[in-house]
Amino acid sequence: MAKDEPDGRMKRKAYEKELAKLQVELCHLQDYVKANKLRVIVLFEGRDAAGKGGTIKAITEKVSPRVFRTVALPAPSDREKTQLFFQRYMQQFPAGGEIVIFDRSWYNRAGVEYVMGFCTPAEHERFLTLCPQMEKYVIDGGIMLIKIWLEVGMDEQERRFKARIDDPVRQWKLSPMDLESFRRWYDYSRARDLMLKKTNTKDAPWCVVRSDDKRKARLNCIAHILGAIPYKRIKKDKVKLPKRAGKGRYNDQASLKGMNFVAERY
């Protein structure tokens, strides 16, 4: 267990055992989605340090990036700021046989943009009004939409932020915006409450996952996704390696002599 990880959490060995089982099922899901040209969107929202990145990594670790495609858009460009708000997100929507995972999504407008003043109150209100209509349009068009909110507690978020400050490989995860979001905890709570109230619809409900125990949260998210997309295992022919063709045989290692090889330091 990591030094910065509290006691009482799910142990790594138990987590890895369950994760391996779920990742096998994700591969079966992948085959079914590809064979049936399904279109799926899974979006993850939550406060900074809620565990979105780690959860998405656990989902995509063993599957094909050609089927499971992750989208984490940067701040909009000057050109994108003049487009319809949903436009740059819809450009990323799945084609047949794809599952698109949004690491933050159009719900930025209900969270960071609203709290930090990057949109006007009128734009925020318009988003909350139009968002359920847009999502119904997407679903009626044949796209499955799964919305997951990762709920991290105040103390746990603080612990994770402090761990990032002291860890050189995680410091990139801390931005001035993250620190400001930490300060404005209750502003974000109120924005969350309003967002969930206005956009938790029958067509596109929110599913909340408590993420103080990040391992349990990852497993619960994967299990939820597997349960939300009806799928069957695709029967495949057993793969058998063919014999290598001997035609044109030559010493293909000798031909590399004189090339510039990387130093073998390990």
Side-chain angles (χ1 to χ4, degrees):
M1 182 174 290
K3 292 181 180 179
D4 62 343
E5 205 168 283
D7 294 331
R9 305 295 172 91
M10 188 176 195
K11 303 301 182 183
R12 178 177 294 278
K13 190 173 181 179
Y15 164 72
E16 290 178 346
K17 181 180 179 180
E18 293 304 315
L19 179 62
K21 295 177 186 176
L22 292 173
Q23 287 178 331
V24 169
E25 290 303 314
L26 285 171
C27 289
H28 291 307
L29 171 63
Q30 170 180 257
D31 293 338
Y32 188 84
V33 167
K34 188 174 179 180
N36 290 275
K37 303 295 183 186
L38 297 186
R39 293 174 293 160
V40 183
I41 293 174
V42 182
L43 66 84
F44 285 93
E45 292 289 343
R47 300 176 194 270
D48 295 308
K52 297 179 291 297
T55 301
I56 292 170
K57 183 178 179 181
I59 293 169
T60 59
E61 186 178 18
K62 303 294 185 181
V63 293
S64 170
R66 295 178 180 85
V67 178
F68 282 77
R69 177 162 58 87
T70 302
V71 175
L73 295 181
S77 65
D78 289 341
R79 181 176 183 275
E80 288 172 332
K81 289 176 182 177
T82 68
Q83 296 175 344
L84 290 173
F85 175 72
F86 289 107
Q87 188 171 337
R88 75 187 191 119
Y89 295 102
M90 297 189 80
Q91 291 173 358
Q92 302 292 336
F93 279 16
E98 279 190 327
I99 297 175
V100 173
I101 301 175
F102 278 93
D103 183 351
R104 295 198 182 279
S105 65
W106 47 92
Y107 281 100
N108 274 338
R109 175 133 296 182
V112 62
E113 290 189 19
Y114 173 56
V115 174
M116 302 302 296
F118 297 145
C119 68
T120 66
E123 288 172 330
H124 174 248
E125 184 177 355
R126 177 174 171 79
F127 169 81
L128 293 177
T129 300
L130 294 180
C131 184
Q133 299 174 36
M134 185 278 287
E135 291 178 349
K136 186 175 188 309
Y137 170 78
V138 169
I139 294 165
D140 288 347
I143 296 178
M144 296 186 65
L145 176 60
I146 300 170
K147 303 191 302 189
I148 297 175
W149 174 270
L150 292 175
E151 178 63 20
V152 66
M154 181 184 288
D155 293 340
E156 179 63 15
Q157 188 197 48
E158 181 174 354
R159 187 192 68 78
R160 292 178 186 178
F161 272 0
K162 288 180 177 178
R164 290 177 180 183
I165 291 171
D166 298 330
D167 189 342
V169 301
R170 286 190 281 179
Q171 285 174 0
W172 64 270
K173 292 185 175 183
L174 273 179
S175 69
M177 199 67 64
D178 296 330
L179 298 176
E180 186 62 19
S181 74
F182 177 84
R183 189 176 73 86
R184 299 193 186 194
W185 174 272
Y186 291 109
D187 290 340
Y188 272 89
S189 292
R190 292 186 180 90
R192 174 205 62 193
D193 294 345
L194 184 56
M195 180 196 78
L196 294 177
K197 179 181 178 181
K198 295 290 186 178
T199 63
N200 184 41
T201 64
K202 181 179 179 181
D203 296 301
W206 278 102
C207 296
V208 179
V209 177
R210 293 199 177 277
S211 63
D212 279 4
D213 187 327
K214 61 185 178 183
R215 291 172 182 159
K216 288 183 180 180
R218 292 169 189 171
L219 298 179
N220 287 329
C221 284
I222 296 174
H224 173 69
I225 292 168
L226 290 168
I229 307 172
Y231 71 99
K232 297 179 181 178
R233 295 191 177 190
I234 301 292
K235 190 174 182 180
K236 295 182 177 181
D237 295 331
K238 190 172 182 179
V239 176
K240 186 178 180 181
L241 283 175
K243 291 183 178 180
R244 294 192 192 275
K247 187 177 180 179
R249 189 173 189 157
Y250 75 106
N251 189 341
D252 61 353
Q253 292 303 299
S255 62
L256 295 175
K257 187 177 181 180
M259 293 299 297
N260 189 24
F261 280 82
V262 171
E264 295 186 3
R265 299 178 181 177
Y266 304 97

